Amino acid sequence: VIFDNNSHESTGNQPTNSKIIHIEKIASSSNYKVFTVNNKKDLENILKKIKSKKEPVLLKIKISVMQDNGKTTIRKEKISYI
């Protein structure tokens, strides 16, 4: 399973290479059955199909960039150390 938001959120939302490097093509050439999901309804339908697959499966789920990437907003001067 790949969750793809085209971004490295933990380092400030820099773009990834997922628009250039198509992991789906690599997986397909390695005999994986590839599914790409863009919404919840697609995910539900594809999960039903995957259950019956005998071959390896790659599931690429397109997600959006989080607005709050979890980084602290506390300035380093305000952090006390133990």
Side-chain angles (χ1 to χ4, degrees):
V1 176
I2 297 172
F3 294 97
D4 183 15
N5 65 358
N6 297 321
S7 176
H8 293 287
E9 288 186 12
S10 63
T11 59
N13 292 331
Q14 290 124 339
T16 65
N17 287 327
S18 63
K19 290 183 180 179
I20 300 167
I21 299 171
H22 299 281
I23 194 76
E24 311 93 305
K25 290 181 181 179
I26 297 168
S28 183
S29 68
S30 300
N31 296 319
Y32 277 72
K33 180 66 178 167
V34 177
F35 297 93
T36 300
V37 174
N38 294 303
N39 58 57
K40 184 178 177 180
K41 180 109 173 114
D42 287 349
L43 178 61
E44 291 170 350
N45 290 333
I46 289 172
L47 286 175
K48 291 175 188 173
K49 290 180 184 179
I50 288 175
K51 290 180 184 180
S52 64
K53 298 296 174 192
K54 301 288 185 208
E55 67 266 57
V57 172
L58 172 80
L59 177 58
K60 182 176 178 182
I61 302 173
K62 298 294 292 178
I63 60 173
S64 60
V65 176
M66 291 175 38
Q67 296 301 317
D68 174 13
N69 64 7
K71 288 186 175 183
T72 183
T73 57
I74 302 170
R75 296 175 53 116
K76 67 180 181 179
E77 295 84 15
K78 299 286 183 184
I79 299 174
S80 62
Y81 295 93
I82 298 176

